[in-house]
Amino acid sequence: MEWFESEDFWINYSPIMFDENRWKEAPTVAGYIKKIAGLKKGSTVLDAGCGLGRISVELVALELDVTGVDLIQAELDAAKENAQAEDVPLKLIKADLRSFQTKQKFDCTINLYTSFGYCDTFEEDMCILKNMADSVKKGGTFIMECISRETAIMYFSSGEEFERAGVKVTTSFTVEGAWEGLRSKWTLTAPDGKIIDHEFVQRLYSASFLCNKLLEFGFTNAQVYGDFDFSPYNQNARTMILVGKK
């Protein structure tokens, strides 16, 4: 079992990863998704790796028809609760993106908040990318927000220490190979002294490589931006926003 298949991991780390600021930005991100993909009322969206439904719920609030897919039942349960709390209809599917295939094709498929590159093998990563690409209908849009090799280099830090969700968080980062991956170690120390450690490697892909892969997987156009506002992907890029059009 790979680490991202563990419910215990998400139960322990979700409050750290998805803090108040991440929830506050969700409506803005959802608005950008709708604009980038040119979506209208009733347009269909697949949120691949929806997690807690942070973005899915906001997209439904924008009158879009949203389906969220995730591997972790606890995350899907939380997404359902969040949708119910906002009184919006969100469809949810438990599935592994490495094997997920759907007969329904969507106007837009999204994969956000650096949710790509964690599989043990390159082939599994590419399988996920192709499955997401295949879910997009002709004329549709694919949007990925992810750390790239370039942004990992620009913003590299050896680690930091901070408090969040009532625990002390200590992080450390090292480079794998020739910037082929980023090894991360996160240590959580609770007020009672209990310590939880987790270490993982994210495979790093260049923006140009992923653009070329989208073209290989059936998109007619693939562009990369430095943020959701279409700012350039250059030395000032905040992140990598990959946009594929079929």
Side-chain angles (χ1 to χ4, degrees):
M1 183 175 73
E2 297 195 42
W3 64 267
F4 53 78
E5 299 178 72
S6 167
E7 293 215 4
D8 285 344
F9 168 81
W10 295 105
I11 290 170
N12 290 321
Y13 282 85
S14 282
I16 308 303
M17 299 165 63
F18 301 104
D19 62 359
E20 183 179 355
N21 290 332
R22 291 300 176 201
W23 286 95
K24 283 182 178 179
E25 73 182 11
T28 301
V29 172
Y32 276 126
I33 295 299
K34 186 176 182 180
K35 178 180 178 181
I36 292 170
L39 301 174
K40 301 176 181 178
K41 181 178 179 179
S43 292
T44 55
V45 180
L46 177 68
D47 188 352
C50 66
L52 305 172
R54 187 175 62 99
I55 304 300
S56 294
V57 169
E58 297 298 335
L59 289 171
V60 179
L62 294 175
E63 300 184 299
L64 302 176
D65 182 357
V66 183
T67 300
V69 178
D70 206 278
L71 178 60
I72 304 300
Q73 188 60 51
E75 298 284 281
L76 292 170
D77 291 343
K80 181 180 179 180
E81 291 178 6
N82 288 325
Q84 290 174 338
E86 296 298 324
D87 195 25
V88 296
L90 174 62
K91 302 168 190 172
L92 295 166
I93 299 173
K94 182 179 181 181
D96 188 330
L97 291 175
R98 290 170 292 186
S99 57
F100 175 73
Q101 294 180 331
T102 173
K103 291 181 180 180
Q104 180 184 359
K105 303 303 178 186
F106 294 82
D107 294 305
C108 180
T109 292
I110 61 174
N111 180 251
L112 305 181
Y113 197 47
T114 306
S115 301
F116 179 74
Y118 299 103
C119 293
D120 282 346
T121 67
F122 166 82
E123 289 76 16
E124 288 176 298
D125 279 352
M126 292 304 103
C127 185
I128 288 175
L129 187 61
K130 188 174 190 306
N131 287 342
M132 292 191 293
D134 288 346
S135 71
V136 180
K137 66 172 60 172
K138 186 176 177 63
T141 306
F142 173 66
I143 303 172
M144 173 185 280
E145 175 200 13
C146 193
I147 292 173
S148 65
R149 182 172 294 170
E150 295 88 2
T151 57
I153 292 171
M154 284 195 298
Y155 295 112
F156 178 77
S157 165
S158 60
E160 59 181 335
E161 188 175 292
F162 55 91
E163 288 193 8
R164 186 176 296 168
V167 302
K168 184 175 80 171
V169 182
T170 305
T171 63
S172 64
F173 306 100
T174 55
V175 176
E176 293 284 296
W179 284 99
E180 295 157 312
L182 188 66
R183 181 175 293 276
S184 304
K185 182 177 181 181
W186 290 65
T187 301
L188 310 184
T189 305
D192 62 3
K194 180 182 178 182
I195 295 176
I196 300 174
D197 279 320
H198 182 69
E199 189 169 331
F200 60 92
V201 175
Q202 181 183 11
R203 193 171 289 104
L204 298 174
Y205 295 99
S206 70
S208 60
F209 175 85
L210 290 174
C211 282
N212 287 333
K213 276 296 177 182
L214 289 188
L215 297 176
E216 179 184 328
F217 291 158
F219 289 86
T220 59
N221 182 271
Q223 300 291 328
V224 62
Y225 302 98
D227 212 331
F228 287 109
D229 60 1
F230 296 112
S231 55
Y233 185 71
N234 57 20
Q235 73 279 3
N236 298 315
R238 181 187 68 85
T239 185
M240 177 189 70
I241 306 295
L242 189 66
V243 180
K245 297 280 187 177
K246 277 196 175 177

